[in-house]
């Protein structure tokens, strides 16, 4: 019993690796944000950015982190379920796995394997696992795509900032020696353009090219690891259940007989409970019959009970006649 609990705790700890790695990188991202805020005054520039490119970059980063977090939580739950399925397959094979519907990907994968085995088909485990987990790969790729788009927006911001800088310098040179205020405005515009160029490049490369790509790698690596676990589990512990053979048919038949026996036991328990209820009903009917016999003929309660009894006899005459006949005898 203690060894079983030790194995279960070890499996639970392994299932938390994706979440722990994601949280560790999230803390690193917050540290980078703090450094950018304290050293480069990024937040102040974002608030005053007239081009709004940094707003778009920051919004895409928040979206990517949110999607990555939800996927990390989903994969953590899948890892927990996968280790439980591994333990069941190690003990009883493919037929001994108790599924929980289609909420988990690993349950759907197991159900697909079982369906193919029941139809005596040949199983391509690697192709099937790629199909079942393809949606999770696409989610990780979407997060990586957001990172690439953020880098592209940073480059666009660089070009736009340099354009603003050139326009500002052109205005400043045109106002040189003519209008001091126009000269100052031109220089201010040029400096603003340089800020757009540098800040958009900085945010696009750091947030998209580094932080968001690592978030995408964490979840994608988790999906790949889960695929490897499921392939290894069924190829090692359920290989005999995946190849068409007479032995596999016998094991499937034994599993079906076992399930049928469990259902028969449940039906037997239900019938026993119904029998107890019927005995209680008969006792209540007998008690009511004796109490009615003791009442006077003109008692209103007896008259009401007689009316209900006549109505019941008209609806179900056979059953009530048998019940009351036993007490008369």
């Amino acid at each position: 019993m203690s060894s079983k609990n030790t194995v279960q705790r070890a499996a639970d700890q392994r299932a938390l690796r994706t979440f722990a790695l994601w949280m560790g990188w999230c803390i690193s991202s917050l540290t980078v944000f703090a450094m950018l805020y304290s050293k480069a005054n990024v937040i102040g520039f974002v608030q005053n950015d007239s081009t709004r490119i940094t707003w778009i970059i920051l919004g895409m980063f928040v979206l990517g982190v949110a999607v990555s977090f939800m996927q990390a939580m989903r994969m953590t739950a899948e890892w927990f379920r996968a280790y439980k399925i591994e333990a069941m397959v190690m003990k009883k094979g493919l037929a001994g796995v108790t599924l929980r519907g289609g909420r988990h990907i690993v349950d759907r994968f197991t159900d697909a394997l079982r369906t193919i085995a029941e139809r005596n088909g040949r199983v391509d485990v690697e192709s099937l696992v790629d199909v079942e987990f393809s949606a999770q790969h696409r989610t990780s790729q979407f997060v990586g795509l957001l990172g690439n788009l953020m880098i592209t927006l940073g480059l666009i911001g660089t070009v736009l900032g340099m354009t603003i800088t050139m326009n500002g310098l052109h205005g400043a040179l045109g106002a040189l020696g003519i209008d001091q205020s126009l000269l100052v405005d031109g220089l201010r515009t040029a400096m603003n353009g340089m800020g757009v160029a540098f800040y958009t490049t900085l945010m696009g490369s750091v947030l998209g090219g580094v932080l968001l790509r690592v978030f995408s790698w964490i979840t994608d690596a988790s999906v790949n690891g889960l695929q490897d676990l499921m392939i290894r589990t069924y190829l090692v512990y359920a290989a005999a259940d995946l190849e068409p053979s007479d032995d596999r048919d016998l094991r499937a038949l034994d599993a079906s007989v076992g399930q049928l026996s469990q259902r028969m036991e449940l039906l037997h328990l239900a019938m026993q409970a119904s029998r107890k209820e019927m005995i209680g009903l008969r006792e209540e009917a007998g008690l009511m019959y004796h109490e009615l016999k003791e009442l006077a003929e003109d008692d209103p309660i007896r008259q009401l009970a007689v009316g209900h009894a006549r109505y019941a006899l008209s609806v179900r005459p056979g059953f009530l006649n048998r019940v009351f006949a036993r007490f008369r005898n």
Side-chain angles (χ1 to χ4, degrees), residues 59-118:
M60 294 177 67
F61 177 73
V62 172
L63 175 62
V65 171
V67 173
S68 179
F69 175 74
M70 289 187 292
Q71 188 181 16
M73 295 298 294
R74 173 72 182 275
M75 295 310 301
T76 301
E78 294 291 338
W79 276 101
F80 275 109
R81 181 59 182 162
Y83 282 123
K84 292 181 180 179
I85 290 178
E86 182 188 26
M88 288 186 285
V89 174
M90 290 173 62
K91 292 180 180 179
K92 300 181 181 179
L94 181 60
V97 178
T98 303
L99 301 179
R100 294 182 178 179
R103 187 179 65 175
H104 292 284
I105 301 175
V106 291
D107 282 331
R108 294 198 298 268
F109 173 70
T110 303
D111 184 59
L113 287 178
R114 184 178 293 176
T115 301
I116 297 174
E118 290 175 353

Side-chain angles (χ1 to χ4, degrees), residues 296-324:
E297 292 291 339
D298 56 349
D299 194 302
I301 297 179
R302 179 169 182 171
Q303 294 177 359
L304 180 62
V306 170
H308 282 289
R310 289 175 179 174
Y311 173 75
L313 285 172
S314 64
V315 177
R316 295 293 300 274
F319 172 74
L320 292 177
N321 282 334
R322 289 194 300 269
V323 172
F324 286 106

Side-chain angles (χ1 to χ4, degrees), residues 22-303:
W22 195 95
M23 290 302 298
W25 187 246
C26 182
I27 294 173
S28 301
S29 302
L30 293 176
T31 304
V32 172
F33 262 115
M35 293 177 60
L36 291 176
Y37 177 77
S38 60
K39 302 296 183 181
N41 194 23
V42 172
I43 303 300
F45 178 80
V46 171
Q47 293 175 350
N48 300 318
D49 184 14
S50 59
T51 63
R52 299 294 187 267
I53 294 180
T54 54
W55 290 30
I56 299 174
I57 293 175
L58 193 59
M60 294 177 67
F61 177 73
V62 172
L63 175 62
V65 171
V67 173
S68 179
F69 175 74
M70 289 187 292
Q71 188 181 16
M73 295 298 294
R74 173 72 182 275
M75 295 310 301
T76 301
E78 294 291 338
W79 276 101
F80 275 109
R81 181 59 182 162
Y83 282 123
K84 292 181 180 179
I85 290 178
E86 182 188 26
M88 288 186 285
V89 174
M90 290 173 62
K91 292 180 180 179
K92 300 181 181 179
L94 181 60
V97 178
T98 303
L99 301 179
R100 294 182 178 179
R103 187 179 65 175
H104 292 284
I105 301 175
V106 291
D107 282 331
R108 294 198 298 268
F109 173 70
T110 303
D111 184 59
L113 287 178
R114 184 178 293 176
T115 301
I116 297 174
E118 290 175 353
R119 297 180 180 179
N120 207 27
R122 292 193 174 274
V123 181
D124 189 351
V125 180
E126 295 183 0
S127 299
L128 183 60
V129 79
D130 288 337
V131 172
E132 293 293 340
F133 287 89
S134 60
Q136 297 302 316
H137 281 297
R138 287 194 294 269
T139 303
S140 298
Q141 292 172 1
F142 172 73
V143 177
L145 176 63
L146 288 178
N148 294 332
L149 290 177
M150 290 166 63
I151 296 174
T152 304
L153 285 175
L155 296 176
I156 293 174
T158 302
V159 176
L160 181 61
M162 296 303 295
T163 303
I164 296 174
T165 301
M166 295 298 295
N167 291 333
L169 290 177
H170 178 73
L173 291 176
L176 185 62
I178 300 175
D179 191 341
Q180 188 70 19
S181 61
L182 291 177
L183 176 62
V184 173
D185 291 339
L187 292 176
R188 185 179 291 110
T189 302
M191 294 302 297
N192 186 34
M194 293 295 292
V196 171
F198 288 127
Y199 276 106
T200 53
T201 304
L202 176 66
M203 293 182 64
S205 59
V206 173
L207 300 184
V210 179
L211 299 182
L212 208 58
R213 280 188 174 181
V214 174
F215 280 125
S216 175
W217 174 83
I218 291 173
T219 54
D220 196 56
S222 178
V223 175
N224 290 328
L226 187 58
Q227 286 180 293
D228 294 339
L229 174 64
M230 298 308 297
I231 292 174
R232 181 183 180 278
T233 297
Y234 286 106
L235 289 182
V236 174
Y237 303 110
D241 297 327
L242 301 179
E243 292 295 331
S245 62
D246 295 335
D247 293 337
R248 188 182 73 175
D249 296 337
L250 290 176
R251 285 191 296 270
L253 181 60
D254 291 338
S256 300
V257 171
Q259 294 177 358
L260 182 60
S261 300
Q262 293 178 357
R263 293 177 181 177
M264 291 297 294
E265 290 178 0
L266 292 176
L267 181 60
H268 180 66
L269 293 176
M271 292 182 65
Q272 287 183 344
S274 300
R275 183 178 180 182
K276 292 180 180 179
E277 293 294 333
M278 293 300 297
I279 293 174
L281 177 62
R282 188 176 64 184
E283 293 176 353
E284 291 290 336
L287 180 62
M288 183 180 65
Y289 177 76
H290 291 298
E291 290 179 352
L292 288 176
K293 287 182 64 177
E294 296 176 357
L295 294 176
E297 292 291 339
D298 56 349
D299 194 302
I301 297 179
R302 179 169 182 171
Q303 294 177 359

